Amino acid sequence: MAHTSSTQSLPASSTVPRHVAIIMDGNGRWATGRFLPRVAGHGKGVEAVRAVVEACAVRGVEYLTLFAFSSENWRRPADEVSLLMRLFMVALEREVGKMHANGIRLKVVGDLSRFDDKLQQMIDNAERKTAGNTAMTVTVCANYGGRWDVMQAVQKMLAARGAAGQDAAAFSEEELAQHLAMAYAPEPDLFIRTGGEQRISNFLLWQLAYSELYFTDTYWPDFGAEELDKAIASYQQRERRFGRTSAQLLEQAS
Ligand code: IPE
Ligand code: IPE
Ligand code: MG
């Protein structure tokens, strides 16, 4: 089912964000600060993923989305890229069974065609195995870029319309949104970026339109349940107005 854009209708206000999206940044700096190779930071980062998945499940977060590899990360040294791919495979192999046992549905979104066949096959198997699970959806964004997502959605939308339906004026946000890679999820309520940078780095461009943004200097390998609670506490202090006034929100609530 496609979700209505939160820029058009108010999502149910809840104390725990329904959808948390995270840019897991700072692995390299975590490692170099300890005189370790950058790859050691990525290894430690996988442990943080495990902790945060568990913490989100316990707190009732329905959708957790993790930026693991951006379309720009191919620009890194080849050995770092290949290690990241290997880590991804090992993590899939190790974690999918446990996720499945905990009722977690796993999705991997991005341009997967650039990954080698074996990795693509593993992703496919993991998605199939967990497809029926309903406790929480964990989405890993791999070779993902927000601009790629919007472009592929436009292409799919035009293809679905066929030659007869190319009237540009008739396109709506809803029609395009149905074709975004994460059309199965509501837009993120809470966006978190670790590692101190305050930028979006081509993550979910369309879907972050009205998300609450939270930045922390903590490096991703040091991020865990306690840090997540700080982010959620900050989120709970925000007034989500979606263009309206505070008075209007009070009126609506009464
Ligand atoms: C995030 O950590 C992980 C990936 C991008 C794969 P970085 O590797 O970007 O760590 P820093 O930013 O160099 O510290
Ligand atoms: C963003 O981190 C991508 C992921 C966390 C996967 P980067 O570390 O690659 O971001 P920039 O390039 O510094 O903005
Ligand atoms: Mg980085």
Side-chain angles (χ1 to χ4, degrees), residues 1 25 91-92 127 158 169 177 202 215:
M1 189 196 79
D25 197 19
L92 274 176
E127 286 191 332
L158 293 177
N202 199 16
F215 298 95

Side-chain angles (χ1 to χ4, degrees), residues 12-63:
S13 65
S14 54
T15 47
V16 172
R18 244 186 115 192
H19 184 174
V20 176
I22 308 182
I23 297 186
M24 310 182 288
D25 197 19
N27 292 351
R29 281 165 287 158
W30 179 91
T32 47
R34 286 171 173 72
F35 306 102
L36 295 168
R38 290 178 55 83
V39 296
H42 297 314
K44 196 76 181 163
V46 176
E47 289 176 31
V49 169
R50 198 178 298 131
V52 169
V53 168
E54 272 175 29
C56 283
V58 169
R59 285 156 184 73
V61 170
E62 289 174 55
Y63 297 86

Side-chain angles (χ1 to χ4, degrees), residues 75-230:
R75 296 173 184 156
R76 294 193 177 197
D79 59 343
E80 183 169 340
V81 171
S82 67
L83 180 115
L84 281 166
M85 295 299 150
R86 220 162 345 123
L87 260 184
F88 193 19
M89 282 204 255
V90 171
L92 274 176
E93 228 157 40
R94 278 206 202 134
E95 308 294 330
V96 169
K98 198 169 127 203
M99 283 192 175
H100 187 48
N102 287 311
I104 294 172
R105 172 170 70 145
L106 181 70
K107 303 278 269 178
V108 181
V109 305
D111 181 3
L112 305 183
S113 66
R114 234 183 123 173
F115 294 144
D116 75 36
D117 291 345
K118 183 163 180 248
L119 182 52
Q120 288 190 45
Q121 193 59 53
M122 288 177 74
I123 289 169
D124 197 48
N125 290 344
E127 286 191 332
R128 276 170 204 269
K129 183 176 171 135
T130 61
N133 294 338
T134 54
M136 176 166 79
T137 299
V138 173
T139 302
V140 174
C141 297
N143 194 19
Y144 179 87
R147 290 186 179 178
W148 164 84
D149 197 1
V150 173
M151 286 307 293
Q152 67 82 32
V154 169
Q155 286 161 356
K156 282 196 185 134
M157 179 180 76
L158 293 177
R161 283 180 152 238
Q166 305 283 320
D167 175 9
F171 295 152
S172 67
E173 285 186 14
E174 287 72 23
E175 191 177 352
L176 183 76
Q178 280 168 30
H179 299 285
L180 291 168
M182 289 191 64
Y184 54 84
E187 291 168 15
D189 301 294
L190 172 61
F191 159 95
I192 299 171
R193 180 170 188 147
T194 63
E197 310 297 351
Q198 303 199 354
R199 53 181 177 245
I200 303 290
S201 298
N202 199 16
F203 194 25
L204 303 159
L205 296 179
W206 178 283
Q207 299 92 330
L208 291 175
Y210 259 109
S211 306
E212 296 299 329
L213 308 180
Y214 179 86
F215 298 95
T216 170
D217 288 337
T218 303
Y219 294 141
W220 176 250
D222 291 327
F223 193 90
E226 210 174 296
E227 292 281 331
L228 177 74
D229 284 336
K230 276 193 218 164

